[in-house]
Amino acid sequence: MLSVEGVSADYGKSRVLESIDLTIDPGESVTLLGRNGVGKTTLLRTIVGLHPAAAGKIAFAGENVTRSPAYLRARKGIGYVPQGRGIFPHLTVSENLRLGAAAARQGPIPDHVYDLFPVLSRLSQRKGGVLSGGEQQQLAIARAMVSQPRLLILDEPTEGIQPSIVQQIEETLREIRGRLKVAILLVEQYLDFAWSIADRFYVMRRGRIVEQGSPRDSDPTGIHHLLGV
Amino acid sequence: MTSPLLSVENITVSFDGFNALDGISLQLMPTSIRVLIGPNGAGKSTLLDAIIGHVRPSSGRVVFKGRDITHMEEYRIVRDGICRKFQAPGVLESLTVMDNLNLAARRRRECWRSFSRGVAGGTYEQAERVLKLIDLAGKRNLPAGQLSHGEKQWLEIGMVVASDAELLLLDEPAAGMSHGESEQTAALIRELSSQHSFLVIDHDMAFVDQLDAPVSVMHMGRMLKEGTLKEIRNDPQIAAIYLGRDKEASVA
Amino acid sequence: MGHAAIIAGQAFNGVSVASILLLTALGLALSFGVMNVINMAHGEMLMVGGYLAYVASRIAHGPMAFLLALLLSFLGATLLGALLELTVIQRLYGRPLDTLLATWGVSLILQQGARSLFGAIGVEVVAPRWLNGSFAVHSGAFAGLSLPYVRIFIVALTAVVLVSLMLFIARTRWGLYLRAVHQDREMAQALGVNTRWVDLAVFAVGTGVAGLAGAALALIAPVTPTVGQNYVVYAFLVVIVGGMGSLLGTALAALSIGLITAGAQMFTSVSLADVLLLVLVIVFIQFRPQGIVFKRSRVMKEA
Amino acid sequence: MKKRLELSFDAAMLAALALAPFYLSSYHLSLLGRFLALAILSLGISLIWGWGGILSLGQGVFWGLGAYVLAMHLKLTGLAPGDIPDFMMWSGLDHLPGWWRLFQSPLPALVGAIAIPAAVAAGLAWLVFDRRVRGVYFALITQALALAFSTLLISEQAYTGGFNGLTDFTTIFGRVIIDPGFQRGIYWITLATLALCFLGCRWILNASFGKVLLAIRDGESRVRFLGYNPAAYKTVAFALAGALAGLSGALYILHVGVISPAMVGVVPSIEMVIAVAVGGRASLPGVILGTLLVNFGKDWISSAMPEVWQLAMGLLFILVVTVLPQGLAGIPGAAARLFRPRRKRQEPEAPRREMRKGAAMAAQEKD
Amino acid sequence: MRSLLNRYVKLAVLCLCGLGVCGASSAQNGTVKVGVLHSLSGTMAISEVTVKNATLLAIDQVNASGGVLGKKIVPVIEDGASDPAIFSQKAQKLIQQDRVVTVFGGWTSASRKAMLPVFERFHSLLWYPVQFEGNECSSNIMYSGAQPNQQILPALDWAFEKGKKRIFLLGSDYVFPRTANLILKKHIVQGGGTVVGEEYVPLGGTDFSSIITKIEIAKPDAVFSTLNGDSNVSFFKQLAAAGITQARMPVMSFSIAEQEAKSMGPSLVNGSFAAWNYFQSLNNPDNKKFIAAYKSKYGKDAVLDDPMVHGYVDVLIWAAAVKKAGSFDPNAVRKAATELGWTDSPMGQVKFADNQSLYQTAYVGQLQPDGQFKVLWQSKGALRPEPYDALAFPGKRCVVK
């Protein structure tokens, strides 16, 4: 589904990603771990197309998208939920959702989106900017799902969210992966959650992938060590 | 009993009707360290913003050295003795490493005193000292824009230290550092705390532990609890909202 | 002519001056708000619109020919704007001050081009017959008031353009894209909005509207190679006062500037009224540096 | 060794310019003189734009203030006692306005030609920068200022000479202008002033002031959080640039003998900036060269092919900005890069990000 | 790297200095250079390009008849770019670099004022073809354009004759309108009339809405307009749109000639009045020849007007003066020019007075639908040029050395 081969990226003049290799199979759920500032967000942005790759190759669904602009990657089926949620503050909830649908050249908003997030139908005429953090996060995920992506990329979706909502989001992601068969690439610091949802994980440190494996045959304490705790 | 260096009194900051800070209070004594933890979005950075005048609270006040600085201009607050390191490294890219430090170390920040060519007494030595401290002596004449991310992080800590302010606000100083580096940073902060006060934000519990200082937990714009790291860890309420989801912390 | 008639007449004059300013400033406000591009050649789009109206009036005749001229001006300026975006502006995103200089170069070239094509002497567009004359009040408090049809037409045209643009932005899919790009360019892109197209369209439509302004201006003034220069500086002031990328703010700013100018001109000379206007703008930014309409939000705060 | 080489180049260059009166034709000497005077203005633009990141499209105002103040003095010195300047007479004035008398003696005129533009620049800059209005907004406000200034000069004909401006000076500081020896003297004075200003600018920029200015260009807000007040530094820089502009204007009219609103408005103000951009906005020798080249080029092209001049100028703007943002001074660096292995070029997305940032901070700055 | 840059910059400056050495050139035997200095770009190009054309036509004609003193005239054309400083710079170039024997050019007073010190300094001679505000007489300038007493005052006399006593003064904001209006005001008051308003718009201004309101309030018998160039189009269009006709309130323009009328579309200004020293419709043999020659050189749609004729006549008188003086020396030429006596020209009989301005006839015309002016009135013979108006500037006299 997604293959990242030897991708490097620079920020200004300093290199923040160094020859990253990463793959995700269709329907698979992969977690990217690592401390703050190791380049996880930059890697996601590079995959989505918001940050240029200085070297290497990114392929999605068998197509080389390394040089494709972000909007084309979105239309090919990459859904993105950024850190900080990226809600358009002056657009209403339904406009935020319509944007997800329209931009990816899909028709009306599919019903299952409201099924996933019932709270949104009640809020549909509110401005994005006035929603609570949890509501915004749900909207961000829903908006990404409207375009019916084949890969959903989430950057710390539980950051700053109340525990009760975190639980809802967890359940929703399980459903997205389980019932809707959408592949997931998740950056998460909440290890329990990450562990429970991941088929495989990668660990990053200082711009490199330093470890990968599956939660089933890895020892969490070893991972903790890698995370620099 | 000395009076507090910094006293944040009942501060509220709101954006678009959403309260990023909701009646926060905090006191900091001279030559002490305080650690702020809490989930992202809890309002920690906003608290630092409010202290240094970057955002203006809608109510409450900030008192520094007995003086109300709530509505003071940012640069005056800094001259008064508060310096801050931002989360994203904010080094001055076209200046050299040494010039970055020199600017931070300068005492004479008024415009009319900036035309002398020589560096004012002590500034240069201070900058030299910090340059060694942050281990960038080899790159002193390199434009800061050419440093790596980690080096920029170091340089920015260096700039804050060089400013010799009485109160240093550090927003995630150890982010992006290796284990050893963050240990070094913690040691540096502890050492400097004999002369300065620190307000430190970090997520890394190991780092927090090394700082060996009282911890305040923020959540949803409020102060949840203050205490030692140990007390915090054992607090069931905090475990539920914060540590509970961060297994690594309890393991460490 | 009574006082009421004079005041009403001057107010109308202010509105009609504001109309042309607004048509000119709309495109600037859009491209500045959405793309952070300052187009110094915007005034030349006015000029191009005027010359196209002239050409159209030479080709087509009859009562509706002027409407054709408006259409041609709009389309021609739109195309030219698109060309400009593709060749120059596109290379300069993220460097607003540099766009300012480069587009100044473009404006020099366009001026010289017009001079070579049409000569240094201005050309004239004759208003269609149905716009001759004026709406006159003969009795009552407003006796003596006379509103030229040409100016009424310009005000109406501006109102139509403003309302259609607002509806377009509020109601259509493209408008939604535009608002999204304005608020968070990256996120819009990540959701599949082709921001290249949005930029191109915004810029081209903005210049197209300036083309319309040029055609409208041609009804009351000659078209010369430098006609745009007179208007563009004031249009920039409108954008500054109006606030970034807000159509409503731009409209209010244009209206205020038009009315202030018209009012000041009654008491002092035209030149001093211009100087007074600048002083007022500088005073204004002391109180509202962000302009009349400014959306403050957390997202923008953190950006 | 290298230092000595550079020094000898400096000396050779200065000597070449100083000896210009002996080998240049009188016409070219007078051109060189007025362009050297303009180069002083360019140094100021480099100071605010190249170093401080402040683009002003209104430098003609400060230049013009300097020129007008000295012109007023020159106009007065040529008068018989009790007489008033010709234009006042035909504008209906019958006595000299009081404020004209200020510039009757040379010293106040010289001081005024520098201090008045500096003060006006400082006042404007403080009003605007203190409100954290900057970037494009500032550029546009200064452009409006240039327009208003020339409009005002024209409309106050009785006091300013109106559209004609001030001209027809006979003596300067007791010397007759027509005297060829005087011409050389003015040339040398201009050259010496330029050299002094160049050294002064270099000194200021090497001092902390220059560092802070550069730092402000990099991150205004970061500098504020180091305890510096960017508005104060920018205001001082802008006032310095204003003073240099005034000095330049005053020297310029000694060469040209005329100042008029057409020389201070929107278009000349932008041309001043372009000369700096061509030379390389952040390089002091570069901007001097740029000023000389653009102005000699203008003189040459507009003689050879008047119709082409605007086209050439327009193309030059576009090319310099898109292809050579560092101007002529960037050529050696660009050439050096050609021969060095280099990293992949940044993709267009990277500047886009800055752009969004730019949009958000346009009026009110953010971090 | 830095020193590399420095060296590079300095070398370039050295080259630049060298440029000047090989710049000078001199006239070839058998030819003589004259300068033609007008704005070919910028706002004034509108008016000045045609004057340049007429000047070149006259040079052609002189060359065709064998040149002057056996030499062919070579015009060196320069662009003043509507910028006084450039006029001064180019004048200096023409005199010093090209070694021209005289210069034909200038339009705005600003350009003339800027060139004046140059011509005085280098003892050269400028032929200035445009009506102006007077108050100047330099021995290095030949003023062929009308003085105020040859254009605006005759027009005022004519208006008074027609019973128009309430006058509104409207002008572009520059020196000629302001000074002309100052003179007009004195004469209007002296003649028993009233000035009911005086307004100026910036050059190139296009919005007249407020001024038209003021005119409507003032209700003048006539508007005396010294508006320049394009502003006229805006003014007349907006006047017509406001429903003010020429019959109700006539406009007397001092800057609208056939060129302007043509570009404005005659229908717009139809019926308005103008005062000049030449109209294309003047019926005399010289004018017919001139019109035919100009049209054959520049196309049959070309129209001619007052400043063009002055530009043309200047060259012819210069050539005659050179012949009379037997030399190209400016000093000899200017003396000879004032001693030539009456000459036939397209505008009637003219001659240079000893104050170096031109004796010429004043005409008032009304614009016809075909774009030509119908001459309604003309002064009794050629009027003596008076650079200083005796009423407005008492005691001032013109002395040419």
Side-chain angles (χ1 to χ4, degrees):
Chain A
M1 171 106 290
L2 176 77
S3 95
V4 174
E5 291 168 30
V7 163
S8 301
D10 301 332
Y11 205 81
K13 281 172 185 149
S14 56
R15 182 141 284 201
V16 287
L17 293 183
E18 191 69 62
S19 193
I20 301 278
D21 292 313
L22 178 148
T23 56
I24 300 172
D25 292 332
E28 190 186 29
S29 168
V30 171
T31 303
L32 192 57
L33 300 166
R35 304 237 321 258
N36 271 354
V38 298
K40 298 179 307 253
T41 297
T42 308
L43 176 56
L44 296 196
R45 288 171 51 84
T46 309
I47 293 172
V48 173
L50 294 177
H51 193 92
K57 183 185 158 200
I58 301 169
F60 180 70
E63 250 179 281
N64 185 349
V65 295
T66 322
R67 296 271 164 266
S68 307
Y71 73 91
L72 279 183
R73 301 191 204 187
R75 290 181 190 173
K76 287 196 168 81
I78 299 183
Y80 179 51
V81 180
Q83 195 171 22
R85 309 181 273 272
I87 295 301
F88 300 102
H90 303 295
L91 299 188
T92 64
V93 166
S94 87
E95 281 173 333
N96 265 287
L97 288 174
R98 258 173 47 214
L99 199 68
R105 301 264 163 96
Q106 302 288 326
I109 300 165
D111 285 342
H112 69 256
V113 170
Y114 284 116
D115 293 346
L116 285 173
F117 300 102
V119 64
L120 294 180
S121 49
R122 181 170 55 78
L123 297 170
S124 71
Q125 290 314 309
R126 297 277 283 279
K127 292 266 190 227
V130 304
L131 302 187
S132 75
E135 289 161 348
Q136 284 193 353
Q137 190 61 266
Q138 298 184 46
L139 174 58
I141 298 173
R143 189 179 58 184
M145 289 306 295
V146 170
S147 66
Q148 308 194 339
R150 287 181 283 177
L151 168 65
L152 183 62
I153 296 183
L154 303 104
D155 197 348
E156 307 216 12
T158 62
E159 176 187 307
I161 310 281
Q162 288 167 349
S164 59
I165 311 273
V166 169
Q167 223 140 52
Q168 276 182 30
I169 291 175
E170 266 185 64
E171 278 160 28
T172 313
L173 288 185
R174 285 210 175 82
E175 190 164 333
I176 287 171
R177 175 178 155 242
R179 190 163 66 82
L180 301 173
K181 308 283 184 228
V182 174
I184 289 177
L185 173 57
L186 176 71
V187 163
E188 181 56 67
Q189 299 209 316
Y190 184 1
L191 209 54
D192 269 356
F193 172 36
W195 223 237
S196 72
I197 201 167
D199 296 319
R200 282 188 304 124
F201 67 86
Y202 290 86
V203 180
M204 279 183 74
R205 201 160 123 189
R206 301 202 111 187
R208 294 169 188 274
I209 301 271
V210 291
E211 182 72 50
Q212 55 173 307
S214 130
R216 283 177 296 281
D217 38 52
S218 294
D219 175 10
T221 50
I223 303 298
H224 290 145
H225 184 72
L226 276 172
L227 291 176
V229 179
Chain B
M1 173 94 198
T2 51
S3 56
L5 181 68
L6 173 79
S7 156
V8 174
E9 296 168 11
N10 212 15
I11 277 204
T12 299
V13 171
S14 48
F15 302 109
D16 288 342
F18 156 78
N19 282 353
L21 292 182
D22 195 358
I24 283 267
S25 294
L26 179 84
Q27 284 203 339
L28 196 62
M29 299 314 251
T31 67
S32 66
I33 303 177
R34 174 72 57 90
V35 182
L36 276 178
I37 62 170
N40 278 348
K44 305 181 300 283
S45 294
T46 309
L47 177 58
L48 299 199
D49 283 343
I51 292 172
I52 204 148
H54 195 38
V55 299
R56 301 294 177 186
S58 51
S59 68
R61 58 181 205 143
V62 181
V63 178
F64 181 65
K65 293 194 288 189
R67 205 157 107 171
D68 187 342
I69 59 166
T70 324
H71 298 288
M72 222 191 253
E73 293 250 35
E74 292 109 308
Y75 69 92
R76 289 194 188 279
I77 296 178
V78 176
R79 284 187 199 167
D80 241 28
I82 305 183
C83 198
R84 170 174 182 187
K85 178 208 159 296
F86 284 85
Q87 205 169 337
V91 296
L92 302 163
E93 306 222 328
S94 38
L95 297 185
T96 63
V97 169
M98 193 58 190
D99 281 336
N100 266 280
L101 291 173
N102 272 332
L103 274 195
R106 244 184 109 81
R107 288 291 82 75
R108 298 173 172 178
R109 295 164 180 139
E110 296 86 358
C111 186
W112 54 275
R113 299 171 81 168
S114 65
F115 292 96
S116 58
R117 184 144 190 184
V119 184
T123 306
Y124 189 74
E125 290 75 10
Q126 169 86 345
E128 275 299 336
R129 193 171 59 79
V130 174
L131 187 66
K132 289 204 188 76
L133 219 55
I134 59 174
D135 211 18
L136 286 174
K139 301 190 169 175
R140 54 185 302 152
N141 290 324
L142 209 63
Q146 290 180 18
L147 297 179
S148 75
H149 183 84
E151 287 167 334
K152 285 183 187 166
Q153 191 89 332
W154 271 103
L155 177 56
E156 203 179 3
I157 294 176
M159 286 162 74
V160 173
V161 171
S163 80
D164 210 24
E166 285 154 281
L167 173 59
L168 305 180
L169 313 177
L170 303 181
D171 202 340
E172 304 205 15
M177 288 184 183
S178 73
H179 194 59
E181 286 166 344
S182 72
E183 244 174 38
Q184 270 182 338
T185 309
L188 179 66
I189 293 174
R190 274 210 315 276
E191 186 192 320
L192 291 169
S193 70
S194 61
Q195 286 146 38
H196 309 270
S197 292
F198 285 90
L199 191 54
V200 183
I201 296 180
D202 217 291
H203 288 280
D204 183 345
M205 288 307 143
F207 176 71
V208 173
D209 203 24
Q210 283 152 8
L211 287 177
D212 191 23
V215 173
S216 299
V217 186
M218 284 182 70
H219 182 55
M220 313 256 329
R222 286 172 209 235
M223 205 58 92
L224 206 62
K225 187 172 170 72
E226 301 192 358
T228 63
L229 187 58
K230 199 166 180 184
E231 286 165 6
I232 301 287
R233 275 182 182 144
N234 296 336
D235 188 304
Q237 188 196 0
I238 290 167
I241 71 112
Y242 182 66
L243 296 180
R245 59 174 280 242
D246 203 348
K247 210 169 179 182
E248 56 190 285
S250 44
V251 174
Chain C
M1 208 169 165
H3 285 290
I6 292 171
I7 293 170
Q10 260 324 81
F12 177 75
N13 285 339
V15 173
S16 83
V17 171
S19 296
I20 301 234
L21 269 184
L22 178 57
L23 284 181
T24 314
L26 277 176
L28 283 175
L30 277 177
S31 56
F32 185 43
V34 177
M35 300 139 82
N36 205 20
V37 160
I38 283 294
N39 179 16
M40 297 293 277
H42 199 74
E44 276 55 51
M45 300 299 161
L46 209 78
M47 170 198 86
V48 167
Y51 276 112
L52 285 171
Y54 167 73
V55 170
S57 74
R58 278 304 169 93
I59 298 168
H61 298 279
M64 290 299 121
F66 186 70
L67 296 182
L68 181 79
L70 281 181
L71 189 70
L72 187 69
S73 306
F74 176 75
L75 293 179
T78 304
L79 278 179
L80 189 64
L83 191 69
L84 179 60
E85 205 273 355
L86 289 170
T87 50
V88 178
I89 307 285
Q90 189 197 341
R91 299 164 194 280
L92 296 170
Y93 283 131
R95 291 154 57 192
L97 293 183
D98 286 350
T99 57
L100 200 152
L101 295 177
T103 50
W104 176 261
V106 173
S107 98
L108 285 186
I109 292 174
L110 289 175
Q111 279 176 26
Q112 187 58 46
R115 204 169 283 127
S116 308
L117 274 176
F118 296 97
I121 300 169
V123 299
E124 204 210 344
V125 177
V126 180
R129 200 160 295 142
W130 47 275
L131 284 180
N132 285 346
S134 57
F135 172 79
V137 181
H138 296 293
S139 58
F142 293 106
L145 177 65
S146 113
L147 311 179
Y149 288 134
V150 186
R151 288 186 183 270
I152 295 177
F153 175 77
I154 292 173
V155 173
L157 175 73
T158 307
V160 168
V161 170
L162 182 66
V163 169
S164 351
L165 265 183
M166 281 178 153
L167 284 178
F168 175 80
I169 288 173
R171 297 282 164 82
T172 66
R173 195 168 76 156
W174 274 86
L176 182 62
Y177 292 176
L178 193 155
R179 282 182 288 154
V181 173
H182 179 39
Q183 288 170 39
D184 190 337
R185 168 172 295 268
E186 285 202 336
M187 199 57 227
Q189 219 178 350
L191 287 172
V193 175
N194 185 344
T195 48
R196 273 298 302 133
W197 271 106
V198 172
D199 288 341
L200 185 64
V202 165
F203 193 82
V205 169
T207 55
V209 172
L212 269 185
L217 184 63
L219 289 174
I220 55 170
V223 185
T224 66
T226 48
V227 65
Q229 274 190 351
N230 298 325
Y231 276 84
V232 79
V233 176
Y234 293 102
F236 281 131
L237 285 186
V238 167
V239 175
I240 290 177
V241 172
M244 200 177 63
S246 154
L247 293 191
L248 186 67
T250 310
L252 288 175
L255 197 61
S256 328
I257 286 182
L259 288 177
I260 288 172
T261 310
Q265 284 179 354
M266 282 313 279
F267 301 104
T268 173
S269 72
V270 175
S271 303
L272 283 182
D274 285 357
V275 176
L276 187 72
L277 182 68
L278 176 76
V279 173
L280 285 178
V281 167
I282 291 179
V283 170
F284 172 81
I285 59 172
Q286 294 302 302
F287 298 101
R288 281 195 76 90
Q290 314 90 341
I292 295 175
V293 176
F294 179 76
K295 291 176 181 164
R296 180 193 156 100
S297 75
R298 198 162 185 208
V299 171
M300 292 182 87
K301 183 90 190 101
E302 286 168 353
Chain D
M1 183 60 213
K2 207 173 147 193
K3 186 103 185 163
R4 261 175 66 188
L5 194 71
E6 201 172 303
L7 216 68
S8 57
F9 260 107
D10 273 327
M13 147 122 158
L14 197 64
L17 283 172
L19 296 176
F22 301 112
Y23 60 83
L24 272 191
S25 74
S26 170
Y27 173 63
H28 281 107
L29 181 68
S30 96
L31 285 190
L32 185 60
R34 63 185 75 169
F35 300 158
L36 287 177
L38 278 181
I40 296 175
L41 166 101
S42 301
L43 290 176
I45 297 180
S46 174
L47 188 74
I48 52 174
W49 187 34
W51 291 70
I54 307 164
L55 175 58
S56 164
L57 299 180
Q59 286 311 94
V61 173
F62 311 114
W63 186 83
L65 280 172
Y68 265 95
V69 166
L70 194 68
M72 285 162 76
H73 168 71
L74 297 180
K75 203 75 192 158
L76 290 178
T77 56
L79 287 179
D83 233 355
I84 58 170
D86 48 3
F87 66 86
M88 289 190 184
M89 188 262 298
W90 72 64
S91 306
L93 282 193
D94 47 16
H95 64 278
L96 198 63
W99 54 277
W100 264 72
R101 285 180 211 286
L102 283 178
F103 307 110
Q104 195 114 41
S105 19
L107 193 65
L110 272 182
V111 172
I114 299 168
I116 291 176
V120 172
L124 173 85
W126 182 254
L127 280 177
V128 177
F129 292 141
D130 190 50
R131 301 304 299 163
R132 300 194 189 170
V133 171
R134 56 183 207 183
V136 164
Y137 280 68
F138 184 75
L140 294 179
I141 287 172
T142 52
Q143 184 181 46
L145 181 74
L147 181 66
F149 181 63
S150 57
T151 308
L152 191 66
L153 284 174
I154 293 172
S155 71
E156 296 304 308
Q157 181 181 312
Y159 305 98
T160 62
F163 188 76
N164 281 6
L166 302 176
T167 181
D168 203 6
F169 317 122
T170 46
T171 57
I172 295 173
F173 311 134
R175 301 285 309 271
V176 180
I177 290 182
I178 297 175
D179 179 15
F182 177 83
Q183 199 60 23
R184 285 184 185 176
I186 290 293
Y187 173 82
W188 280 318
I189 290 174
T190 306
L191 181 62
T193 315
L194 173 64
L196 281 178
C197 291
F198 175 79
L199 291 176
C201 283
R202 208 163 63 177
W203 181 71
I204 283 174
L205 292 174
N206 279 333
S208 321
F209 183 78
K211 304 271 164 60
V212 177
L213 211 54
L214 207 54
I216 289 171
R217 193 187 71 184
D218 279 0
E220 184 165 335
S221 159
R222 188 73 197 89
V223 175
R224 189 173 291 120
F225 288 113
L226 289 175
Y228 298 89
N229 181 8
Y233 280 83
K234 287 163 84 173
T235 302
V236 169
F238 201 71
L240 282 174
L244 287 170
L247 181 59
S248 160
L251 284 170
Y252 190 83
I253 65 154
L254 293 184
H255 291 276
V256 182
V258 54
I259 179 70
S260 88
M263 295 152 71
V264 304
V266 172
V267 176
S269 295
I270 290 190
E271 285 182 359
M272 293 168 186
V273 170
I274 289 303
V276 170
V278 168
R281 56 191 85 160
S283 152
L284 294 181
V287 300
I288 295 178
L289 177 72
T291 310
L292 295 183
L293 275 183
V294 167
N295 285 292
F296 271 112
K298 180 174 176 173
D299 181 66
W300 175 66
I301 298 181
S302 66
S303 287
M305 312 164 266
E307 286 81 12
V308 176
W309 165 239
Q310 273 212 334
L311 287 180
M313 189 88 167
L315 278 175
L316 186 70
F317 284 24
I318 300 174
L319 283 181
V320 165
V321 171
T322 50
V323 182
L324 212 62
Q326 288 174 349
L328 294 174
I331 292 178
R337 267 197 302 284
L338 270 182
F339 300 106
R340 228 183 282 148
R342 52 178 186 162
R343 280 202 185 156
K344 270 237 151 75
R345 228 166 53 86
Q346 289 272 314
E347 293 302 307
E349 269 88 357
R352 286 303 176 88
R353 196 176 141 73
E354 291 167 27
M355 173 177 148
R356 189 182 59 144
K357 225 160 133 190
M361 72 184 187
Q364 183 84 35
E365 54 149 343
K366 309 278 183 295
D367 269 310
Chain E
M1 188 29 227
R2 233 184 83 89
S3 76
L4 184 72
L5 168 66
N6 266 336
R7 226 172 302 167
Y8 164 78
V9 165
K10 284 161 196 166
L11 277 176
V13 170
L14 287 175
C15 294
L16 247 172
C17 299
L19 238 171
V21 186
C22 47
S25 61
S26 59
Q28 280 171 297
N29 278 342
T31 65
V32 62
K33 288 187 184 173
V34 300
V36 178
L37 178 47
H38 282 288
S39 298
L40 310 179
S41 59
T43 50
M44 291 314 298
I46 289 180
S47 310
E48 295 189 54
V49 169
T50 54
V51 180
K52 179 207 74 177
N53 290 344
T55 306
L56 293 181
L57 171 71
I59 291 175
D60 281 359
Q61 290 182 349
V62 173
N63 280 336
S65 64
V68 247
L69 302 185
K71 297 195 180 211
K72 238 177 140 60
I73 310 169
V74 178
V76 181
I77 303 166
E78 283 290 346
D79 178 14
S82 309
D83 180 340
I86 294 187
F87 268 99
S88 131
Q89 178 176 325
K90 296 295 187 189
Q92 194 180 342
K93 174 187 175 274
L94 285 170
I95 298 167
Q96 286 198 292
Q97 197 73 23
D98 300 314
R99 320 257 159 152
V100 300
V101 295
T102 193
V103 176
F104 301 95
W107 178 294
T108 61
S109 289
S111 66
R112 189 191 67 250
K113 289 274 181 205
M115 289 188 284
L116 184 143
V118 176
F119 283 92
E120 291 189 343
R121 184 196 300 171
F122 299 110
H123 308 293
S124 189
L125 193 60
L126 170 71
W127 298 75
Y128 176 74
V130 185
Q131 33 75 271
F132 72 119
E133 66 279 0
N135 290 296
E136 179 185 302
C137 58
S138 162
S139 46
N140 297 88
I141 299 182
M142 303 300 290
Y143 306 88
S144 70
Q147 298 284 358
N149 75 311
Q150 295 173 311
Q151 187 198 16
I152 56 172
L153 293 180
L156 181 67
D157 292 344
W158 177 80
F160 275 0
E161 254 174 49
K162 296 280 167 206
K164 313 261 180 220
K165 295 261 177 179
R166 292 169 56 81
I167 310 286
F168 193 103
L169 302 174
L170 171 63
S172 292
D173 200 347
Y174 68 107
V175 176
F176 171 66
R178 281 185 181 268
T179 307
N181 287 343
L182 185 76
I183 298 171
L184 274 172
K185 274 190 285 186
K186 301 266 184 191
H187 286 264
I188 290 170
V189 173
Q190 199 204 30
T194 326
V195 178
V196 294
E198 182 180 0
E199 291 291 332
Y200 299 93
V201 285
L203 273 173
T206 52
D207 181 54
F208 286 86
S209 52
S210 303
I211 284 173
I212 287 173
T213 306
K214 285 180 177 177
I215 291 177
E216 282 182 317
I217 296 170
K219 295 198 176 25
D221 294 336
V223 175
F224 272 31
S225 160
T226 35
L227 287 174
N228 202 341
D230 300 327
S231 294
N232 277 308
V233 181
S234 312
F235 174 61
F236 278 97
K237 274 194 162 187
Q238 293 170 30
L239 204 61
I244 301 175
T245 59
Q246 288 299 315
R248 191 176 123 202
M249 197 202 63
V251 179
M252 165 73 75
S253 302
F254 299 108
S255 300
I256 294 184
E258 288 83 349
Q259 280 297 345
E260 287 77 14
K262 180 191 172 197
S263 73
M264 290 163 74
S267 63
L268 188 63
V269 267
N270 190 13
S272 77
F273 302 88
W276 288 104
N277 306 100
Y278 168 84
F279 287 116
Q280 191 180 335
S281 59
L282 287 184
N283 190 9
N284 66 55
D286 279 79
N287 191 28
K288 291 204 172 99
K289 266 196 299 193
F290 171 55
I291 294 171
Y294 192 90
K295 287 193 171 180
S296 77
K297 184 167 161 109
Y298 295 104
K300 63 182 188 328
D301 290 337
V303 295
L304 294 106
D305 65 16
D306 178 287
M308 291 164 70
V309 163
H310 284 93
Y312 172 82
V313 169
D314 283 349
V315 176
L316 300 182
I317 294 183
W318 167 77
V322 170
K323 275 179 201 147
K324 183 177 167 76
S327 147
F328 290 107
D329 174 56
N331 224 10
V333 170
R334 68 187 178 87
K335 288 236 159 58
T338 57
E339 292 159 3
L340 275 177
W342 293 101
T343 321
D344 281 326
S345 81
M347 46 185 165
Q349 284 214 317
V350 296
K351 78 164 186 175
F352 267 102
D354 50 7
N355 61 17
Q356 293 187 192
S357 295
L358 200 65
Y359 272 97
Q360 49 197 333
T361 311
Y363 303 94
V364 171
Q366 186 173 30
L367 194 69
Q368 305 300 304
D370 63 355
Q372 291 298 321
F373 286 90
K374 181 176 150 199
V375 178
L376 299 179
W377 179 88
Q378 74 178 75
S379 63
K380 293 183 192 74
L383 300 165
R384 187 189 148 76
E386 301 291 351
Y388 292 96
D389 181 70
L391 191 61
F393 313 108
K396 287 276 178 185
R397 273 194 57 241
C398 176
V399 186
V400 177
K401 281 174 281 189

